[in-house]
Amino acid sequence: MISESTGTGDAGKDVGLTEVPTTLRRNQDPKKKEKPAKATLTHEAPLLEARNLTKKYNNLIALKEVSFELGRGDIFGLIGPNGAGKSTLIKIFATLLKPTYGIALIEGKNIIQDPYYARPRLGYMPDFFGLYEELAVSEYLRFFASAYGIKGKTRERTIDYVLELTDLVVKKDEPVTALSRGMQQRLGLARVLLHDPVLMLLDEPASGLDPRARVEMKELLRTLGSMGKTIVVSSHILSELQEICTKVGIIEKGELLYCGKVEELRNLKRRGDVIQIRVNADETVKLKDHLRRIRGVADILSDDENMVRIRVDEAQTNLSHVASEIIAGGFSLRHFCVEEMSLEELFLKFTRGDVQ
């Protein structure tokens, strides 16, 4: 298995290999010896926490009192317009930027005060990252594995594993410059996975990818989440975040407007229930006339030969009443369901389009 040891006695998670890589040394402070942890992290404790994180640049507030927490295996989609503060937040978690005030914690340890504890436990992939043009894919990974202190046979097994996980085995001897944009992004993920981090910070990993590469990236992130990795991923491709994320955060002008499950967000910003109704094709015209007489039906939005969409006023009726009235009218009700709002629609309802 890929695992890590940072002097605290923490064991890494089993992700498929049979031996433990060498202790990570690259980010260890040579002047500081970590004390053993005083308490064992329980499964209920959050893996990542932000408490009132704020970042100011003179008069510009890049982050404003951002607070949330994530558990193990959570995939957190961070969405917002350009300049909203997504990258600033991720860089604070990556120990690359200090907040003006506030606290960030990983496994209960303060990231800002103890970056040498945090760094071996996280993997950071920026939107654009440097590639050494003269190296082959396997050489590139070998360089970073060595930097993490993974040596000998364990290093080679680890490289083989991350190549297989990211579907780059057939490209292992190719120069990195010969890779497509999608393959380069997967190589970036392979590099991030070398030291088996518990937290992955991915800033726009699907940026510039074609549709097939985006699907492959989505499936890879879903696999990593199932392995227990906690993932923070920023993206503008909201429909794909909706499919893979366990939680989402909407950020605008440095302020976290919402953090939670997509389903809870839908309940918060309901548009008055929009209902999809399907009957027999020859009943559609009569159904529209019948719906206009049902109490609580506010509007008929659209229809085709066998599907009608309506908006109901929740204050005046309930869904079972509408369904009962349709059946009582003698119609063959074949489909009746609430239409879910997409993440794009929810995002537009929550935000104002402000930038800074």
Side-chain angles (χ1 to χ4, degrees), residues 8-11 36-46 72 107-108 117:
T8 63
D10 295 340
K38 293 182 179 180
T40 302
L41 184 72
T42 63
H43 291 294
E44 291 77 18
R72 292 185 184 274
E107 295 182 338
Y117 179 89

Side-chain angles (χ1 to χ4, degrees), residues 281-300:
D282 59 355
E283 298 176 326
T284 301
V285 175
K286 290 182 179 179
L287 174 65
K288 288 190 291 182
D289 292 334
H290 183 71
L291 287 170
R292 292 188 178 97
R293 295 192 294 270
I294 297 177
R295 175 176 53 85
V297 175
D299 194 13
I300 297 176

Side-chain angles (χ1 to χ4, degrees), residues 5 16 45 60 158 220 226 247 265 274 291 305 311 340:
S5 172
L60 174 66
T158 301
L220 180 53
S226 70
K247 294 180 179 179
L265 177 60
V274 174
L291 287 170
E305 63 179 8
R311 178 180 285 114
E340 291 188 342

